[in-house]
Amino acid sequence: MNKPQLHPESLMMSYGYKPELSEGSLKCPIFQTSTFVFKTAEEGKAFFEVAYGLREKGDTEELGLIYSRLNNPDLEILENRLTLWDKAEDCAVFESGMSAITTVLMEFLSPGDVLLYSQPVYGGTSHFIEQIITRFGIKVISFDAKDTEQDIIDRVEKSGFGNKVNMVYIETPANPTNQLIDMVMCKRLANRYSTEGRQTLVAVDNTYMGPLWQHPLKHGADLVLYSATKYIGGHSDVIAGACLGSKELMARVKGMRTFLGNMAGPWTGWLLMRSLETLKARMNVQEKNAQNVAEFLINHPKVGEVFYLGNIKDENQQRIFDQQCEGTGAMVSFEIKADKTEKGAFKFLNNLKLMKLAVSLGSTESLAEHPASMTHAGVSPEDREKYGISPQLIRLSIGVEHQDDIIWDIEQALENV
């Protein structure tokens, strides 16, 4: 029989690793070293020529190990495995999700450029876009899920900077409202604002869906970004980020990473390799649990609107979901009916017994937080109101506990509201 094309979850145990190069160790060792020994001076010279782009790598040549800020076996194997889920050509891993995001924005945006970006986004991303890159002469134009393609075009044209749009950056589903942005539409916008000498890029923060439930590169994205802390790490014990895309674009991302010095370390790489082995199993359980939690919340008298990808009421949002999503995810946000203040939400959060009151998401344990005063505290009150981040909104990240226990905890907390 011909050997089949193995699935990513099967390859997570072995892809890119040769036990014979590490004394037969079944698992990749932690290469806790800052530098690597060259066999000869000529070899060292050849490695640096490729690493610094002085020449192209030969067809059969492999980039040699130089220094752990440039490359390290744990990270190289991890990056190779991460490419399998999104069918990307290359990957770069960072010390945090924000490191990945900021490196991409700094590499591909220059003074005078325009960044077209979706709202809402994670609070840290919002702060970097609106408060930091604007200090370097980069202009930003925002849009949201309610805007049509023509609305966005009109806004860009009104700004007078249509010929300067260098990137379309989106987070979809949006944190914390689960609103969807159409990636195919964003690719059309990018093509519209590309010039003969410059391709406008589409970058997608795919953290909310992880590598399983959505694959942006299939829908026109040029770069896909993750806070690898979340589903990829999945155990609340490591901080990391990742960026994936074509070899050409990733060479630039890795180049900027080298000089910013925000590459992940070997211990982080080893932890993420461990986590990848159970990624699909974990995410499947989390998705199923979230479906049951959402159904419970939708039917509870003390719960208002439930923001969940399996509970979409808008026709256009459903169209986008059908077009680009491959699962309903494990993130559920909902509003407490009690009042229009944070009082009811805080009562709920303070009475949880199984779920943990903490930020982050995508890990084995279920977490609950209050976006308006926590993850999105830096977003202006006007924008929080505009994008539905109300005082009574609670965000849940559903874990792998037994679904009945999660629902019991939510139910008893709601009884105290």
Side-chain angles (χ1 to χ4, degrees):
M1 293 178 64
N2 293 328
K3 185 178 179 180
Q5 180 67 46
L6 297 178
H7 296 81
E9 59 266 35
S10 300
L11 295 170
M12 288 303 114
M13 322 312 165
S14 59
Y15 187 77
Y17 173 60
K18 299 176 181 178
E20 61 270 21
L21 297 181
S22 297
E23 301 295 335
S25 174
L26 176 65
K27 295 297 183 185
C28 178
I30 301 171
F31 288 85
Q32 194 69 45
T33 183
S34 59
T35 194
F36 298 87
V37 176
F38 305 131
K39 294 176 182 177
T40 65
E42 288 81 4
E43 182 182 70
K45 176 184 178 181
F47 289 176
F48 268 92
E49 286 174 342
V50 174
Y52 281 80
L54 302 178
R55 65 175 177 84
E56 292 293 321
K57 186 171 62 173
D59 292 338
T60 60
E61 183 180 11
E62 293 187 11
L63 177 61
L65 296 166
I66 297 173
Y67 184 69
S68 280
R69 180 166 55 85
L70 301 172
N71 51 8
N72 177 285
D74 293 291
L75 290 196
E76 289 191 351
I77 295 168
L78 168 65
E79 289 167 349
N80 289 338
R81 291 181 186 178
L82 277 172
T83 63
L84 299 176
W85 295 102
D86 283 293
K87 293 183 171 59
E89 292 181 2
D90 201 4
C91 171
V93 175
F94 296 80
E95 273 296 337
S96 69
M98 282 305 302
S99 289
I101 292 167
T102 56
T103 299
V104 164
L105 294 177
M106 292 176 71
E107 171 58 29
F108 295 104
L109 295 172
S110 299
D113 286 343
V114 171
L115 173 67
L116 185 60
Y117 73 105
S118 67
Q119 283 275 43
V121 291
Y122 167 62
T125 306
S126 175
H127 180 84
F128 188 79
I129 288 174
E130 295 164 12
Q131 306 297 324
I132 297 179
I133 63 171
T134 51
R135 288 161 36 191
F136 300 97
I138 296 165
K139 297 175 176 61
V140 298
I141 301 173
S142 68
F143 64 95
D144 61 53
K146 295 178 182 177
D147 288 318
T148 66
E149 185 172 357
Q150 191 58 51
D151 290 336
I152 300 169
I153 291 170
D154 291 344
R155 193 168 303 156
V156 173
E157 297 306 318
K158 186 178 179 180
S159 75
F161 298 109
N163 62 336
K164 297 290 186 179
V165 176
N166 209 38
M167 179 179 284
V168 181
Y169 179 96
I170 64 173
E171 182 181 302
T172 182
N175 180 0
T177 60
N178 267 322
Q179 288 183 308
L180 297 168
I181 303 295
D182 188 337
M183 288 187 264
V184 174
M185 175 198 72
C186 289
K187 187 61 176 179
R188 288 198 299 268
L189 289 169
N191 289 337
R192 179 186 183 92
Y193 294 115
S194 296
T195 64
E196 188 173 340
R198 170 188 52 74
Q199 173 65 45
T200 299
L201 303 177
V202 176
V204 178
D205 183 339
N206 199 41
T207 298
Y208 242 47
M209 296 299 267
L212 207 63
W213 298 318
Q214 186 171 260
H215 299 106
L217 298 178
K218 286 171 52 177
H219 302 285
D222 299 289
L223 296 166
V224 56
L225 294 146
Y226 293 100
S227 170
T229 307
K230 312 305 191 287
Y231 294 104
I232 293 171
H235 292 80
S236 295
D237 57 9
V238 62
I239 300 292
C243 177
L244 300 95
S246 68
K247 286 187 178 294
E248 180 184 2
L249 294 177
M250 292 310 303
R252 291 182 59 180
V253 172
K254 287 185 173 181
M256 178 62 83
R257 181 184 68 174
T258 292
F259 295 106
L260 290 177
N262 54 12
M263 184 179 196
W267 176 234
T268 293
W270 188 90
L271 284 171
L272 291 177
M273 276 194 282
R274 170 216 58 180
S275 295
L276 281 180
E277 296 184 6
T278 61
L279 183 141
K280 186 170 184 178
R282 287 184 283 108
M283 292 181 71
N284 282 345
V285 172
Q286 289 169 284
E287 181 178 38
K288 179 63 176 174
N289 281 349
Q291 289 168 355
N292 287 283
V293 167
E295 183 179 355
F296 170 80
L297 290 169
I298 289 167
N299 294 303
H300 198 285
K302 291 187 178 181
V303 172
E305 190 165 359
V306 177
F307 303 92
Y308 170 62
L309 293 180
N311 184 45
I312 297 174
K313 298 175 181 177
D314 179 83
E315 184 177 334
N316 189 51
Q317 286 283 290
Q318 186 64 51
R319 177 192 65 79
I320 298 171
F321 175 85
D322 294 339
Q323 172 182 282
Q324 66 192 36
C325 298
E326 298 173 34
T328 48
M331 299 300 297
V332 183
S333 295
F334 69 97
E335 292 183 329
I336 297 287
K337 265 187 181 177
D339 53 42
K340 299 295 183 182
T341 71
E342 64 188 29
K343 185 178 179 181
F346 279 22
K347 278 188 176 181
F348 172 85
L349 293 169
N350 290 337
N351 279 284
L352 290 170
K353 300 184 185 305
L354 174 68
M355 301 182 75
K356 300 296 185 272
L357 174 52
V359 296
S360 196
L361 58 97
S363 290
T364 50
E365 61 279 305
S366 294
L367 302 176
E369 66 107 4
H370 185 249
S373 65
M374 297 176 187
T375 50
H376 292 70
V379 178
S380 71
E382 295 78 17
D383 280 348
R384 288 202 299 268
E385 182 178 0
K386 179 179 180 181
Y387 301 123
I389 309 171
S390 65
Q392 64 268 33
L393 183 71
I394 291 167
R395 190 190 76 180
L396 304 179
S397 171
I398 305 303
V400 301
E401 305 94 340
H402 195 285
Q403 64 187 36
D404 292 348
D405 297 333
I406 301 172
I407 291 172
W408 163 81
D409 195 27
I410 294 171
E411 184 173 25
Q412 65 83 26
L414 284 169
E415 287 175 359
N416 289 281
V417 174

